[in-house]
Amino acid sequence: EIPLKYEGKCIALVNETIVASGNDELEAYKRAKILHPQKMISLMYIPKKKEILTFSNNSTKNPNPFKLKFLPF
């Protein structure tokens, strides 16, 4: 389970362990790379409770039919 302090943040993981966080992916990645320069780093955004994830399928205009978007509600 991910602690509430990461809501609205990007987290960096090494071997499924949170090693850093930031306000965006680049910040989290840079912090993690300093601590673990030789490891593969995974990034994940942790939405706030009042955000929802939406999918839109617009395959006629976009070769990737699914766009991810976080919307406040």
Side-chain angles (χ1 to χ4, degrees):
E1 185 152 324
I2 298 171
L4 293 176
K5 70 179 182 178
Y6 296 115
E7 282 187 2
K9 302 274 186 188
C10 290
I11 60 172
L13 303 107
V14 172
N15 296 328
E16 298 182 18
T17 301
I18 300 171
V19 295
S21 67
N23 291 320
D24 59 34
E25 294 89 349
L26 185 59
E27 184 179 353
Y29 179 80
K30 285 180 177 180
R31 289 179 176 177
K33 208 60 174 167
I34 290 168
L35 299 171
H36 301 278
Q38 302 299 318
K39 300 284 185 173
M40 180 180 283
I41 296 166
S42 300
L43 299 171
M44 180 184 298
Y45 175 73
I46 309 302
K48 295 178 183 179
K49 285 185 180 183
K50 292 191 174 189
E51 288 179 325
I52 58 171
L53 179 63
T54 64
F55 292 90
S56 67
N57 186 346
N58 190 4
S59 58
T60 58
K61 295 181 182 178
N62 187 348
N64 180 0
F66 294 102
K67 283 176 134 177
L68 300 179
K69 189 174 188 181
F70 285 96
L71 300 172
F73 64 93

